[in-house]
Amino acid sequence: LAGASLAPNLRVLGFSAAMAGVATLLFGIGPAIAASRVDPAKLITSSGDSHTAAPVRGRQFLVMAQVALATILLVTAGLMTRSLRELLAIDLGFRADHVVTMRLTSIDTSAAARIRRGEFLTQLAGMPGVRGVATSGCVPFDLACVITVAVRGVGDVDASARPAEVELHSVSQHYFRTMGIAIAAGRPFVAEDTTAGRPHVIISESAAQRLFGTAPAIGKLIAFD
């Protein structure tokens, strides 16, 4: 739905108007030419002839078919517009407007490269109009780079329960604030999380319920299966 909008599009309206004009010419010229070749006197004298009703019935059937098809198209267009409006109104869980993404590629893992990348992000954050900068391995709904893993709860949980299939994303410290993602409980990442002995993770509410049930998930341990 990227870029989807219900606002009128001048190109689409122009194309529709042009196609409507072409269709009117194509389907209107034929009957007009046929009508111009009919002798009015002969048409009046043969008005009671039953043989002249067949073409009329054919035209009536054609008109009825066109009206039926037009009605189906209008109903379908209305349903599609309603479905699109509801899709655009769905809460995605993050703020998609006023967010600009860019792709950075670097295979240098040295300390100097990390420092340069950090300086670059700091410069971006200091640009006028920029409220926050964050990095992530994937943008939302990018199925090309989604990594799915199985995780289990560690500790006072049912060891026989099936592991939960979750998507694993590596994000920077200010990702949740930049994307406008609300945290239901706990805290966002801080700089010290990158130097801690165990890596810290933030899981979704559905994953927390799957792994720990109704027990609070803050401070719990999970293990990759």
Side-chain angles (χ1 to χ4, degrees):
L1 292 178
S5 174
L6 294 177
N9 189 299
L10 295 180
R11 293 181 179 180
V12 175
L13 292 177
F15 178 80
S16 301
M19 290 297 99
V22 172
T24 301
L25 291 175
L26 291 178
F27 293 98
I29 290 177
I33 294 176
S36 64
R37 295 177 178 177
V38 176
D39 186 2
K42 184 182 294 185
L43 182 63
I44 295 175
T45 57
S46 61
S47 59
D49 191 357
S50 60
H51 295 288
T52 61
V56 175
R57 288 197 298 268
R59 295 191 185 97
Q60 291 178 348
F61 176 78
L62 181 60
V63 171
M64 292 173 57
Q66 291 176 346
V67 172
L69 290 176
T71 303
I72 294 175
L73 289 176
L74 288 176
V75 172
T76 303
L79 292 176
M80 291 184 62
T81 303
R82 179 180 177 182
S83 300
L84 180 59
R85 184 185 297 110
E86 293 180 355
L87 286 175
L88 294 176
I90 291 178
D91 184 10
L92 300 177
F94 62 92
R95 185 181 61 249
D97 56 325
H98 303 293
V99 176
V100 178
T101 63
M102 60 183 301
R103 186 179 300 274
L104 298 176
T105 303
S106 175
I107 59 175
D108 191 350
T109 59
S110 63
R114 290 196 296 270
I115 293 175
R116 288 196 299 270
R117 287 193 292 268
E119 292 175 349
F120 174 70
L121 296 178
T122 301
Q123 293 177 0
L124 286 180
M127 294 178 63
V130 178
R131 297 183 179 180
V133 176
T135 60
S136 172
C138 296
V139 296
F141 305 122
D142 186 0
L143 300 179
C145 64
V146 169
I147 300 176
T148 304
V149 296
V151 296
R152 293 179 179 272
V154 178
D156 189 17
V157 295
D158 185 6
S160 61
R162 291 182 56 188
E165 296 287 337
V166 299
E167 295 180 7
L168 179 63
H169 298 275
S170 176
V171 300
S172 64
Q173 175 182 351
H174 302 297
Y175 178 78
F176 291 90
R177 185 187 66 185
T178 303
M179 295 296 294
I181 301 176
I183 297 181
R187 62 167 177 81
F189 291 125
V190 295
E192 291 74 14
D193 291 334
T194 60
T195 59
R198 287 196 179 105
H200 290 75
V201 296
I202 297 177
I203 60 177
S204 64
E205 290 184 275
S206 58
Q209 295 175 358
R210 175 72 180 275
L211 294 172
F212 306 106
T214 58
I218 300 176
K220 296 294 183 63
L221 297 178
I222 61 174
F224 296 104
D225 193 3

